[in-house]
Amino acid sequence: MLQAPLAAITARLGEEKELEIHGLRGSALALLLARLAVASGRSLVVVSEEYQQSLELRRDVAAYLQLLSAGERPPVLLNFPPLQRLPYRQVLPLITLEQARIATLYRLRQEKHYLLFTSITALADRLAPPELFFRRFFTLEWGEAIDREELVERLAANGYLRVPTVDEPGDYSLRGSILDLFSPLYDQPIRLDFFGDEIESLRHFDPVSQRSRKEELERVTIAPAHEILLPANREAVKERLKARFVELNNSRLDMGGIYRRLQREPHFPGIDALLPAVYPAWADLRDYLDEAGLPVLVEPARLDDKLQNLQQMLADAHEKAAARQQFTYPPTAFLAPVAASRDFFVGRQQLLVGGEAAGPPAAAAAIEINSRDNRDLRDALRLAAASQEERLFAPAAAIIQGWLRQGQRIILCGRSRASGERLQRLLADYELPCASDDEQLHPGKINLRQLSLGQGTRLVDERLVIITESDIFGAKKKGRRPSRPGSGRQQFYDDFSALKTGDYITHIDYGIGIYRGLQTMEVEGIVNDYLVLEYQDRDLVYVPVDRFNLIHAYHGTGDQPPRLTKLGGSQWERSKAKARQAIDDFLVELVDLYASRQVENGHAYPPPDRVYGEFEAGFPYEETPDQRQAIDEVIADLQAARPMDRLICGDVGYGKTEVAIRAVFLVVNSGRQAAILVPTTILAQQHYHTFRERFASHPIEVAVLSRFKSPAEQQEIIRRLREGKVDVLIGTHRLLQKDVVFKNLGLLVLDEEHKFGVRHKERLTTLKKNIDVLSMSATPIPRTLQMSLSGLRTLSAITTAPRDRLAVRTYVAAYDDEIIREAVTKELGRGGQVFFVHNEVTTIEAMANHLRALLPTVRLAVAHGQMPPAALEKVMLAFANHETDLLLCSTIIESGLDIPNANTLIINKAHRFGLAQLYQLRGRVGRAQKKAYAYLLVPSLDQLSYDARRRLTALAEASELGSGFRIAMQDLEIRGAGNLLGKKQSGHISAI
C-alpha cells in the first residue's frame, strides 16, 4: 500500500528540506504516516490545527499500523495535549492534562521510535527548560535505603500534596511505615512499605479499594506533580518579579500578596501568570524532541491562522488585564512570537501535508497523491434513503461490485467483531461474500478486517479501496447523546444544596414538616450543626446533620400544600400503618398482575430480517458491548411467547433510547403499534423529533399527543390511532386517558421510569395483559430494582460508555465578568445557546439584571422551581425553540431537558454543589457534534477548601466516559471523609 508514492517521498526527503504532499483525501494521510513511520524508522511529530483532530488522526494511524506491522514492533504513539493556560485569568489547572504532558515529555526521552500527535497550540506553549524539568525526576528501588523524612520533603518540593487517602496524581500519604504516592508516569499509585529506612516492598495499588497488587516492582520513577514548580531558592524569582513591577510602574499592584503566595507552596493556582519569572529562559516542545525526528505539519495555512488567532486572543486578554490593574507579562512571554507555524522547524526537514494544493510550489518541492474518498458510496445510500427504496443498500452494493469487476483490492473495516459479522451478513445478502483473516490482498476480492478507522480512502494508482462502516452507514458521531434527558431530582436529599428553607420534608420518625434552616448549637458541651424542622402548632425538631439521611423530599399529589404532622400523638404512626396496609394490598394486586402476565400467551415476533438489519446498520453511532447485549436481550424477549417486562438501566448518555428504537422498529415492522410514555411535554416533543428522524427512511407514522396539540388535533390523532394509521404514539399521562384507544398495541416503552407511579405504569398493561413492556431509567428506584432482582421483571444494565465521545471542556475559574462575556459571546457567535446556573432564587433576579447590563444584546430568560408550572414550561419551551439565547436558572435543568443547541454551561458558586450534582448539570451540554464548554465559577481559587478543589478538578478532568454512579460514589467519598474526620463526635447526639 502506498508503495510507489512512498518511494518517491523517501527519495525526495533525501534531497529537499521541505516537501509538500497534496491530494490526501479520506484516511490517506493516516495511511501515509503509518507507512512512512514503518518504512523509514524515523520518529514523526504530527502537528494539527486542533487537538481533537490530532486524536482522530492518531486513531486512524493506530489502525493502519495494526494492518502494516504484522509481527513487527510498531512505533510508540504519543499525545501531547495543550494545557489551555490562561495567564490573565485565575483558572484551576487540570491535573490529568498535566499528567499526560509530563508523561509524554518523559517518554520522548525514553523512546527511540515514536509518532507524536499534538496541536499547534501545544507546540507554541512555553515549557520549563529540559535541564530544569528532568532535574525533578528521581527513582526509587526495592531494597534501597532512604530517609523517609527527606523523601517526604522531596515530594513536597515536587508539588505533591499530602492527603489522607491517595487517589489522584500528585497525592502522597504517610501512615506509619507505609508511604503511598501517585506519580504522573503511572496509571496507578505506588505503595512503599519501609522496614526502618529500607524499602521492603514496592507495589502498585488500587486507589478505589486501596488494596496492593501482588506483583513486586523493582524500580519506579517519580516525576514532578506539575510542569511549573518554584525552585527551593525563590529569591531569584522574587528579584525578577521586582524588576517587572518596576517596568509596570503601577503603585496599585498588590506585590505583597504575590510574594506571600511564593512562600506558601511550590505550585498554586495562578502560577501560570508568573511563568516568565519562574523560568526566564525560553523553552518549548521542540527542545524535548529527537533531532532526527521528522515534523509533519497538517494543513500549514490553517496552522498559521490558528496561531495568529491565539496571539490576538492573548493580546486582547492582556489589554483587559492591564486595565484591571493586574500584574501581567506581555503575550510574547507566554507564546512564541513567530509569523508562521512552519518557522518552528526552520532549518530542519519537514513534511507539509494537506488536501488540494494552494498553488504552484515556491521553494518547496511537491508531490501529488491520487487518492479519493468514498463519497459516492455515501451519496448512493443517501439517495436510496430519500426515495425509501426497499433494498436501501442495493446502490452501494452495485458500486462495490463495480470496483471488484475492475480488479480493485478492497479492505472492509469493522470496528468490532460484532460489527464485522454484521457487515459480512449484510454483504452476503447482496452476493458480496467477504473473506477474513487473510493477510494477502487479492484483486477482485473483499477482505474483512477489524480496524477502528474513522473513514476510508481509495488509492487510484495502487488499485486499493479501503471502506469503513462510516462510509456505508454514515459517520459514527462524536459526542453522542441519546435524545433523552438525564436523571431527575432524587427521592432523597443527598446534598445540603438541594434542601432549601421552606421546603416540605418528611422525617421517617416525625412525619411531614417544613425545613427552617441550619442552626449551630451546643449540647452537653459539644458544638454541632442541626437542621431545624417545624411541625404543627410551630413545634420544632432539631436534627443533627449526621442524621440527614432520615429526611426525605416530600412528594405529594395535587397542588395543595400538605398538612403538617402533630408531634407527640399517634397521627404519624397511624398514617404509616395505613400506608403499609395499602402497600401490602397493592403488592398482592401487583403480583397477581405479573403472575397472569407470566402465563399469558404473548405475541412472538419473527426474528429480525434484512429490513431490520439495514435499519440497525443505519444507527449513526457505534454500539457498546453492553448496549449490544441489551438490544439482543430485548429482541429475544420480543421473539418469546410470553409478554416482555424488562428494565433497561444505564447512565446518562449510554444509549438506552436506541435500545427502545430497535424494539419499536421490530414491533411496528410486524404490523403492531407502539406507545412511548414520558413524564414531560418537552421530552415528548424531543422524542417525537428523534423517532421521526430515525424512522425517516421507512414508512412508519409517528405522532405525539400532548397539551401542545389543540383539542381538534388531539382528536384527529386519536381517530387515526384507533384506525391503525398511527404506528408510534409518544405522549405524557395523556396516553393513559380512556379516550386513547389503540387498534393493535404491541409495545409500551416507559422512559424516565422512575418518574411514574406504579398505578400509572400498570394501567396500560392491565388494558391488555399480553403487551410487551420496556422500561428505561438512569436512576431506578428501589422498588423497580427489587422487582427486577426478584424475578418479576428482567434487567439489562448498560455500564460501558460510548467510544470516541467528545469531552466537555471544563474550566474552574474565579468569578470574572470578562469570562462570562467571552464565553457567552463565543457560544452565540457559533449559533448556540447558554445555560447559566445561579442556584439562589432570592438573588436570581438581581443576577438577571446584572447579566442584562453585561450582555445587552442577549435574549435572556429566567427559570426556577418556584415559578408557576405553566410559566416555567413556557420559558423552557421558548429556550428549546431558540427563542432565547441564555437561560438563567436554578438546578431545575438538572433533569428533563435535552437541547443539543445549548453547548456552553456556566455555573456560579460551583463550590457549593456536590460532585454528582455537577456531573448531572454538565450533562445538559455536549449533546451535539459541537465542542461543549463548562465554566465552574467560584469567588476565589485561593479561598477554596481542599475538598472543594478536589471535587471541582475531579469533574473538570472527568470526561463523559465516566459513570454517573462512579462520580456519585467519588462525591460521597470526598465529602463523607471530611464529615467523618471533622464531626465524628456528633454521632453521640440524638434528635431532641
Side-chain angles (χ1 to χ4, degrees):
M1 289 182 285
L2 268 178
Q3 290 291 351
L6 182 65
I9 292 170
T10 305
R12 297 292 290 275
L13 277 175
E15 304 168 359
E16 308 286 347
K17 278 286 187 182
E18 193 172 276
L19 182 63
E20 293 182 4
I21 309 295
H22 300 294
L24 296 170
R25 298 170 185 85
S27 59
L29 172 58
L31 178 56
L32 170 64
L33 294 176
R35 194 70 185 95
L36 184 60
V38 170
S40 69
R42 296 179 64 176
S43 294
L44 305 181
V45 182
V46 186
V47 185
S48 302
E49 178 186 9
E50 299 289 347
Y51 184 58
Q52 183 63 35
Q53 178 187 358
S54 72
L55 293 180
E56 294 170 0
L57 184 57
R58 172 196 161 129
R59 176 201 58 203
D60 287 354
V61 169
Y64 280 126
L65 284 174
Q66 179 184 339
L67 189 66
L68 296 171
S69 305
E72 301 178 8
R73 184 178 185 271
V76 175
L77 302 183
L78 302 174
N79 299 330
F80 189 73
L83 194 55
Q84 298 298 324
R85 284 201 179 101
L86 298 176
Y88 308 116
R89 295 275 188 268
Q90 259 203 33
V91 178
L92 209 59
L94 301 186
I95 298 173
T96 52
L97 276 183
E98 278 198 293
Q99 176 191 19
R101 286 163 61 98
I102 290 170
T104 296
L105 293 177
Y106 175 76
R107 294 192 69 183
L108 285 173
R109 283 286 182 96
Q110 307 301 314
E111 303 293 346
K112 301 301 181 185
H113 188 199
Y114 58 79
L115 273 83
L116 174 65
F117 296 87
T118 189
S119 68
I120 185 63
T121 305
L123 185 65
D125 206 4
R126 184 169 186 173
L127 303 177
E131 62 274 11
L132 297 180
F133 178 72
F134 287 111
R135 193 180 298 169
R136 300 273 189 174
F137 288 73
F138 61 95
T139 60
L140 296 172
E141 297 186 4
W142 177 83
E144 177 183 359
I146 185 171
D147 187 286
R148 273 180 292 172
E149 294 303 321
E150 291 182 4
L151 177 57
V152 166
E153 291 177 4
R154 192 167 187 181
L155 289 174
N158 273 290
Y160 284 76
L161 185 64
R162 185 166 185 171
V163 295
T165 304
V166 169
D167 58 11
E168 64 181 27
D171 286 351
Y172 81 94
S173 174
L174 182 62
R175 304 183 309 279
S177 64
I178 295 177
L179 174 66
D180 292 342
L181 63 92
F182 203 153
S183 171
L185 301 183
Y186 303 98
D187 294 330
Q188 289 190 319
I190 302 159
R191 176 161 293 159
L192 291 78
D193 197 345
F194 285 86
F195 181 76
D197 286 339
E198 181 180 323
I199 301 177
E200 186 180 41
S201 175
L202 189 61
R203 302 180 184 184
H204 285 300
F205 69 91
D206 185 344
V208 177
S209 67
Q210 294 290 307
R211 293 183 178 178
S212 300
R213 301 299 184 192
K214 293 181 179 180
E215 299 79 11
E216 285 276 3
L217 303 173
E218 293 186 5
R219 179 186 297 105
V220 293
T221 301
I222 310 303
H226 303 282
E227 286 184 43
I228 305 174
L229 289 169
L230 292 169
N233 183 2
R234 300 171 189 177
E235 288 303 315
V237 177
K238 193 172 180 179
E239 290 301 319
R240 287 189 285 269
L241 289 174
K242 284 182 179 178
R244 179 59 181 166
F245 175 72
V246 172
E247 290 177 12
L248 292 173
N249 192 25
N250 189 337
S251 59
R252 296 184 180 179
L253 295 176
D254 181 19
M255 293 306 298
I258 295 178
Y259 293 152
R260 286 191 294 272
R261 296 177 76 185
L262 291 177
Q263 303 302 320
R264 284 203 301 263
E265 51 184 319
H267 184 90
F268 51 84
I271 197 173
D272 285 347
L274 310 181
L275 179 60
V278 179
Y279 300 121
W282 180 272
D284 56 42
L285 185 57
R286 294 171 299 175
D287 298 295
Y288 291 81
L289 298 176
D290 182 0
E291 286 292 331
L294 177 65
V296 180
L297 305 184
V298 181
E299 301 285 0
R302 292 187 178 181
L303 302 187
D304 299 343
D305 293 342
K306 179 71 174 181
L307 199 60
Q308 290 169 10
N309 291 339
L310 184 60
Q311 290 173 338
Q312 185 60 50
M313 183 192 75
L314 281 176
D316 293 343
H318 174 258
E319 182 179 346
K320 293 174 182 176
R324 296 195 300 267
Q325 309 293 323
Q326 186 176 327
F327 180 84
T328 62
Y329 281 91
T332 52
F334 302 98
L335 192 67
V338 295
S341 60
R342 69 188 64 184
D343 289 347
F344 274 106
F345 298 103
V346 119
R348 292 181 60 174
Q349 271 194 338
Q350 55 185 327
L351 203 59
L352 313 179
V353 297
E356 302 294 338
I367 292 178
E368 184 78 20
I369 293 179
N370 191 6
S371 70
R372 299 284 185 270
D373 59 18
N374 293 324
R375 192 173 307 166
D376 45 0
L377 270 181
R378 296 190 288 272
D379 290 344
L381 284 165
R382 191 180 301 113
L383 291 173
S387 62
Q388 293 191 353
E389 294 183 15
E390 184 179 352
R391 292 171 61 84
L392 294 178
F393 191 67
I399 293 174
I400 296 175
Q401 190 67 58
W403 288 336
L404 290 174
R405 286 195 297 267
Q406 297 168 12
Q408 301 281 340
R409 297 173 298 160
I410 298 180
I411 298 178
L412 185 62
C413 303
R415 288 173 176 250
S416 62
R417 180 182 297 276
S419 62
E421 292 173 351
R422 184 176 65 192
L423 285 170
Q424 200 166 13
R425 290 193 302 268
L426 181 61
L427 293 180
D429 289 340
Y430 292 88
E431 298 181 351
L432 290 171
C434 297
S436 57
D437 301 325
D438 186 357
E439 295 184 4
Q440 298 298 320
L441 302 181
H442 303 287
K445 183 177 180 180
I446 300 177
N447 193 274
L448 182 63
R449 298 293 178 88
Q450 184 178 328
L451 296 174
S452 182
L453 272 174
Q455 56 181 325
T457 188
R458 281 186 287 151
L459 303 178
V460 178
D461 297 333
E462 303 297 321
R463 302 181 68 80
L464 175 68
V465 182
I466 299 172
I467 305 174
T468 67
E469 290 180 86
S470 302
D471 299 324
I472 298 176
F473 305 122
K476 300 296 182 185
K477 298 178 183 177
K478 312 297 187 298
R480 165 156 82 90
R481 294 285 190 180
S483 294
R484 58 158 301 284
S487 60
R489 180 186 293 264
Q490 298 179 359
Q491 292 242 339
F492 302 101
Y493 288 116
D494 64 352
D495 198 323
F496 285 123
S497 63
L499 182 58
K500 302 176 182 64
T501 302
D503 281 356
Y504 285 97
I505 55 87
T506 303
H507 191 286
I508 290 177
D509 298 325
Y510 301 109
I512 301 171
I514 303 175
Y515 173 62
R516 291 304 186 192
L518 199 65
Q519 184 172 335
T520 303
M521 300 171 58
E522 182 177 344
V523 179
E524 297 180 356
I526 300 176
V527 178
N528 195 17
D529 293 329
Y530 292 83
L531 292 88
V532 183
L533 309 181
E534 180 184 329
Y535 287 87
Q536 199 176 120
D537 300 329
R538 295 190 178 181
D539 290 339
L540 300 180
V541 170
Y542 297 89
V543 180
V545 291
D546 69 309
R547 307 298 298 277
F548 187 63
N549 60 306
L550 299 179
I551 298 175
H552 301 195
Y554 171 78
H555 295 284
T557 57
D559 298 328
Q560 296 300 318
R563 181 181 179 184
L564 300 185
T565 303
K566 182 175 179 61
L567 296 179
S570 58
Q571 173 192 353
W572 180 240
E573 289 303 322
R574 289 198 306 270
S575 298
K576 288 197 292 184
K578 288 177 62 178
R580 291 190 189 100
Q581 184 60 47
I583 291 171
D584 291 341
D585 294 341
F586 185 70
L587 182 60
V588 173
E589 178 186 337
L590 191 62
V591 171
D592 288 342
L593 171 64
Y594 277 95
S596 64
R597 283 174 55 81
Q598 292 289 330
V599 298
E600 282 284 342
N601 290 323
H603 182 81
Y605 293 91
D609 55 9
R610 177 182 50 78
V611 175
Y612 176 88
E614 292 183 358
F615 172 76
E616 181 182 50
F619 180 47
Y621 309 102
E622 179 185 359
E623 299 101 334
T624 64
D626 290 344
Q627 188 185 26
R628 179 75 258 174
Q629 181 177 348
I631 291 171
D632 292 342
E633 290 170 346
V634 169
I635 299 303
D637 284 352
L638 291 174
Q639 294 179 69
R642 70 180 186 182
M644 173 179 69
D645 206 324
R646 181 172 291 274
L647 168 68
I648 306 295
C649 182
D651 197 24
V652 178
Y654 277 33
K656 298 185 294 296
T657 302
E658 178 61 19
V659 179
I661 287 175
R662 303 279 178 94
V664 169
F665 184 86
L666 185 66
V667 167
V668 172
N669 203 41
S670 300
R672 307 194 80 183
Q673 295 170 299
I676 319 295
L677 184 60
V678 298
T680 66
T681 304
I682 294 176
L683 181 55
Q685 291 295 126
Q686 292 172 349
H687 267 323
Y688 172 65
H689 294 298
T690 299
F691 276 74
R692 284 197 62 186
E693 179 184 355
R694 193 72 175 86
F695 295 147
S697 302
H698 299 271
I700 295 177
E701 183 68 24
V702 182
V704 61
L705 193 62
S706 70
R707 60 187 181 81
F708 288 141
K709 297 286 186 181
S710 67
E713 289 175 324
Q714 292 186 32
Q715 290 306 312
E716 175 64 16
I717 291 172
I718 293 171
R719 181 188 65 79
R720 298 178 69 246
L721 179 74
R722 189 182 302 113
E723 295 173 356
K725 295 179 180 178
V726 172
D727 301 305
V728 182
L729 182 63
I730 302 170
T732 59
H733 301 81
R734 179 71 177 87
L735 268 64
L736 303 177
Q737 295 180 8
K738 294 182 179 180
D739 63 333
V740 179
V741 179
F742 292 82
K743 181 180 180 181
N744 191 16
L745 180 62
L747 174 66
L748 169 64
V749 178
L750 299 167
D751 197 11
E752 294 291 325
E753 184 268 352
H754 58 283
K755 295 290 188 69
F756 296 95
V758 177
R759 292 188 182 274
H760 281 145
K761 289 182 290 188
E762 307 311 330
R763 182 169 179 180
L764 267 177
T765 61
T766 55
L767 297 178
K768 283 195 174 181
K769 294 183 179 180
N770 63 344
I771 69 170
D772 295 291
V773 179
L774 180 65
S775 304
M776 301 185 295
S777 180
T779 54
I781 58 180
R783 168 185 51 80
T784 300
L785 281 179
Q786 173 66 23
M787 291 169 66
S788 297
L789 296 175
S790 63
L792 287 178
R793 308 173 69 180
T794 48
L795 172 70
S796 294
I798 304 178
T799 60
T800 306
R803 297 180 54 180
D804 299 332
R805 182 186 295 173
L806 285 175
V808 178
R809 181 165 293 171
T810 306
Y811 299 94
V812 181
Y815 181 94
D816 189 333
D817 282 344
E818 286 302 317
I819 290 180
I820 296 172
R821 192 200 310 271
E822 291 171 9
V824 173
T825 303
K826 180 179 178 180
E827 183 59 51
L828 300 189
R830 59 177 185 166
Q833 294 166 275
V834 179
F835 290 115
F836 192 112
V837 177
H838 180 83
N839 202 36
E840 294 177 359
V841 176
T842 56
T843 60
I844 199 168
E845 285 299 333
M847 176 57 75
N849 294 332
H850 177 74
L851 292 178
R852 290 188 182 103
L854 184 67
L855 306 161
T857 62
V858 173
R859 298 175 297 174
L860 184 147
V862 177
H864 56 81
Q866 296 183 19
M867 295 172 62
L872 177 61
E873 194 167 67
K874 183 178 179 181
V875 170
M876 292 293 198
L877 191 61
F879 188 69
N881 293 334
H882 204 172
E883 296 171 12
T884 53
D885 301 316
L886 186 148
L887 185 66
L888 174 63
C889 54
S890 64
T891 55
I892 194 169
I893 65 166
E894 192 175 358
S895 68
L897 204 62
D898 182 3
I899 301 178
N901 196 51
N903 283 296
T904 290
L905 168 72
I906 302 171
I907 302 179
N908 191 27
K909 299 181 180 178
H911 61 295
R912 295 185 176 181
F913 294 84
L915 184 54
Q917 192 173 27
L918 287 171
Y919 174 80
Q920 291 290 341
L921 286 170
R922 194 180 63 171
R924 298 307 99 207
V925 297
R927 294 172 171 265
Q929 294 188 48
K930 291 182 179 179
K931 184 70 177 176
Y933 300 88
Y935 299 83
L936 311 181
L937 304 183
V938 298
S940 171
L941 294 180
D942 294 334
Q943 297 175 8
L944 279 182
S945 67
Y946 169 70
D947 283 349
R949 186 179 298 185
R950 283 188 64 193
R951 187 162 65 247
L952 294 173
T953 53
L955 179 80
E957 292 164 354
S959 72
E960 296 71 58
L961 302 183
S963 161
F965 176 75
R966 179 180 59 79
I967 290 287
M969 291 302 294
Q970 186 174 358
D971 185 25
L972 179 65
E973 178 185 348
I974 290 172
R975 292 185 290 114
N979 290 338
L980 290 174
L981 291 173
K983 300 178 180 178
K984 197 169 184 179
Q985 71 276 14
S986 63
H988 300 294
I989 306 174
S990 59
I992 299 176

